Amino acid sequence: MKDQFVIAQISDLHIKAHGKLSYKKVDTLHAFKRCIEHLNQLSPAPDLVAITGDLTDFGRSDEYKAFTDAIASLNLPWVAIAGNHDDRENLRVAYKNQPWQPEQGTFFNWVISDLPIQIIGLDSTVPNKPWGEFCKDQQEWLEQTLSLHPHKPTIILLHHHPFLSGIGHMDQQNLRGIERLECTLKKHPQVQRILCGHLHRFITTTLAGITVCSAPGTSHQVALDFRLDAPAHFSLEPAGMLLHRWNIKHGFTTHYLNLGTPEATYPFYDENGLID
Ligand SMILES: [Fe+2]
């Protein structure tokens, strides 16, 4: 068994088809292809890429085709969950050959248990609604799933943020049922990370003592504005991803990688010691 496992989390791709720009401004497909180039160049390579929802902008089958064509150039295994911009049925059709793909059921849930850490994809979407929900049916499924491997370090992926970010318009569409999720997590201490998307920003907090991370978007970001009546605006701050490194002795550390940063590295030291 490996004593280290690295998950690269990317989120909110909002892929469009036929060269269309998201919000008539953002070339999300081009941004995703740049992100794939970054992923393929990471050394050492991550063990898995996890996409935390909003793969497409409008959930259309031609958008999933554009996504599928692009991700064919990714040299790493990947998993994905649904976001509020996705369509569960089109997701199932597009990824029916992926081993983690759920074949049936109302929700797009899945679990991978044969890796050093267990990874659970939890569908928080509500069809045709921007907000998410952790309902009683999902609670029952998650508790049953967590009960099967009570001692395996576990990470849960869900799209909607189970907290308040302070960005008013986004917090009106966060996860509903946070208390229910908190209650479940308290019974299953093997959960060590909750990874979400939706916010298009790197934000971290805790829920039931567990670190929660939302990932930046691969193209556009939600504008940082703590006013309750903040307008629903986005920005073109640099895209990013998160690298969650798990070590068998030390657990998880999470690293933010800015995709707008040049990749060159420079030495702190030369033959005379710390460079003055
Ligand atoms: Fe999104």
Side-chain angles (χ1 to χ4, degrees):
M1 165 103 47
K2 287 179 59 170
D3 60 3
Q4 177 172 299
F5 195 86
V6 177
I7 296 176
Q9 182 192 2
I10 62 174
S11 200
D12 294 87
L13 288 44
H14 288 259
I15 300 296
K16 293 190 94 73
H18 315 300
K20 283 183 78 176
L21 304 180
S22 282
Y23 315 110
K24 300 183 178 176
K25 186 80 177 172
V26 193
D27 189 343
T28 50
L29 182 58
H30 176 72
F32 180 46
K33 289 177 179 175
R34 281 193 61 222
C35 177
I36 290 174
E37 287 175 16
H38 276 265
L39 286 164
N40 283 339
Q41 290 168 10
L42 288 173
S43 180
D47 297 283
L48 184 71
V49 176
I51 309 173
T52 41
D54 284 0
L55 282 66
T56 62
D57 205 27
F58 277 76
R60 297 173 183 139
S61 52
D62 58 352
E63 295 175 339
Y64 288 106
K65 174 73 166 58
F67 168 84
T68 304
D69 289 347
I71 205 165
S73 62
L74 178 66
N75 300 327
L76 302 165
W78 59 277
V79 295
I81 57 171
N84 56 298
H85 285 254
D86 288 307
D87 178 277
R88 284 177 188 155
E89 295 315 309
N90 282 342
L91 267 179
R92 284 181 208 276
V93 172
Y95 312 129
K96 62 176 184 280
N97 296 325
Q98 293 292 329
W100 43 270
Q101 164 76 273
E103 289 182 1
Q104 53 195 10
T106 303
F107 298 101
F108 195 84
N109 295 333
W110 49 260
V111 56
I112 299 174
S113 301
D114 58 353
L115 297 172
I117 58 174
Q118 176 174 243
I119 304 167
I120 294 174
L122 182 67
D123 186 350
S124 63
T125 64
V126 180
N128 304 312
K129 301 295 181 192
W131 64 81
E133 185 174 18
F134 183 63
C135 64
K136 286 185 178 175
D137 287 345
Q138 286 289 65
Q139 183 181 36
E140 189 177 329
W141 179 84
L142 184 60
E143 294 201 357
Q144 282 178 0
T145 301
L146 288 169
S147 298
L148 296 176
H149 300 281
H151 304 296
K152 188 149 189 164
T154 296
I155 200 163
I156 295 175
L157 316 178
L158 81 168
H159 181 67
H160 293 85
H161 52 298
F163 59 89
L164 292 176
S165 67
I167 303 173
H169 66 96
M170 292 305 295
D171 289 344
Q172 289 169 17
Q173 49 180 275
N174 70 340
L175 186 78
R176 300 183 177 182
I178 293 175
E179 299 79 10
R180 189 174 284 133
L181 178 59
E182 192 172 21
C183 178
T184 295
L185 294 171
K186 283 179 177 171
K187 291 188 258 181
H188 299 278
Q190 76 269 34
V191 180
Q192 297 187 10
R193 273 288 189 281
I194 298 170
L195 310 184
C196 62
H198 197 44
L199 284 164
H200 293 233
R201 301 198 70 84
F202 175 36
I203 301 171
T204 183
T205 185
T206 59
L207 180 68
I210 299 163
T211 300
V212 184
C213 299
S214 78
T218 53
S219 56
H220 52 292
Q221 316 303 310
V222 168
L224 181 59
D225 189 332
F226 290 147
R227 290 174 297 177
L228 279 177
D229 60 348
H233 283 191
F234 64 90
S235 76
L236 297 179
E237 294 165 73
M241 70 172 75
L242 301 181
L243 295 172
H244 307 282
R245 174 185 173 271
W246 174 83
N247 175 277
I248 196 167
K249 280 188 182 169
H250 307 295
F252 278 100
T253 51
T254 290
H255 302 254
Y256 168 69
L257 184 60
N258 180 327
L259 298 183
T261 306
E263 293 161 25
T265 63
Y266 307 92
F268 284 114
Y269 297 90
D270 62 13
E271 61 277 10
N272 299 314
L274 189 63
I275 296 172
D276 187 357

